[in-house]
Amino acid sequence: MRIGIVGAGKIGGNCARQFAKGGHEVMLSGRDLSKLEPLAGEIGDAARVGTPAEVAEFGEVVVFAVPWDGFDDAVSSAGDLDGKIVIDTTNQYGSGEMPAEGQTAASFHAASVGVARYTKSFNTLTSTFQTEAAFREPEEDRVVQWVCGDDVTAKQVVMGLIADAGYAPVDIGRNEDATVMEAPRRDGAVYGEEYRLADAEQVVAAVTAGEEIPPTPSYP
């Protein structure tokens, strides 16, 4: 697939590297395009650099890997996202407008992308850990990347990309179910924690049932 990445810093840069390893083309954008040329050169022929609008036009999927306060500007700079699948990697840290009480950050941002097909993923683990954990072997030890969204088909596409990037994809549910995968790190949430598939499936079952999730697992 063609994947545009707006904000190719630590999280976005890791996404670009792993998607390219998974056989996809990527276009990178950020505030200073010249600073992205080394990353594109590192990735190789599968990568190029462009403006946010060029990235949005190029990508079948557009990743927004920017700080919370920069999300609206990034979406505005990207322009027409009609029909595009959006992956939002942000967490609600900053001084900008925040979700209303009881509203998830995913629901809050989904309302900002208009007719785009919103999903949220790649937000629960640090960039360093995501880089180290990609393509871990054996496959049953692969680290989970959670995804939420209201568009089932869009989530299926994103889950395929997650698998191609060397992680185990797990659908936590709709945007309104995203609380457990959102900041801050705390008891009763998966944010900031490593999960593998078997334990993640128990989390999904608990969320679906409206129950507390099981205690955080630990691994050797």
Side-chain angles (χ1 to χ4, degrees):
M1 295 189 75
R2 298 186 309 277
I3 305 169
I5 300 176
V6 181
K10 293 180 178 179
I11 293 290
N14 177 66
C15 286
R17 292 184 185 93
Q18 310 313 337
F19 288 147
K21 288 178 183 177
H24 303 285
E25 298 178 72
V26 297
M27 182 180 282
L28 316 173
S29 189
R31 292 181 177 177
D32 187 343
L33 299 186
S34 65
K35 292 184 178 180
L36 299 179
E37 293 290 354
L39 175 58
E42 172 196 330
I43 293 171
D45 293 341
R48 66 193 80 175
V49 173
T51 66
E54 289 170 336
V55 160
E57 182 178 2
F58 167 84
E60 301 164 86
V61 175
V62 181
V63 180
F64 287 96
V66 298
W68 177 268
D69 290 350
F71 185 81
D72 287 345
D73 285 344
V75 170
S76 178
S77 296
D80 185 10
L81 294 170
D82 187 5
K84 304 288 185 176
I85 296 173
V86 163
I87 302 176
D88 173 15
T89 75
T90 64
N91 289 303
Q92 61 273 36
Y93 294 113
S95 57
E97 186 180 358
M98 294 292 170
E101 185 175 354
Q103 181 184 33
T104 65
S107 295
F108 181 80
H109 271 175
S112 301
V113 299
V115 293
R117 304 163 68 190
Y118 177 92
T119 69
K120 182 170 186 171
S121 191
F122 293 97
N123 70 297
T124 64
L125 300 168
T126 67
S127 58
T128 298
F129 186 77
Q130 291 188 49
T131 298
E132 294 172 349
F135 296 99
R136 181 183 285 169
E137 297 293 346
E139 197 163 329
E140 58 264 26
D141 288 346
R142 292 206 170 176
V143 170
V144 164
Q145 292 281 11
W146 306 89
V147 60
C148 73
D150 294 347
D151 186 315
V152 174
T153 303
K155 283 193 292 186
Q156 290 174 340
V157 171
V158 172
M159 290 175 72
L161 294 178
I162 290 170
D164 291 344
Y167 307 101
V170 174
D171 179 0
I172 198 69
R174 296 173 60 85
N175 292 326
E176 63 188 22
D177 300 319
T179 301
V180 297
M181 64 178 283
E182 295 184 339
R185 191 172 187 174
R186 62 201 186 279
D187 290 339
V190 302
Y191 177 82
E193 306 291 353
E194 174 182 355
Y195 273 82
R196 300 180 189 174
L197 188 57
D199 293 305
E201 289 173 343
Q202 295 180 43
V203 170
V204 174
V207 170
T208 302
E211 300 171 351
E212 288 190 13
I213 67 172
T216 303
S218 60
Y219 304 106

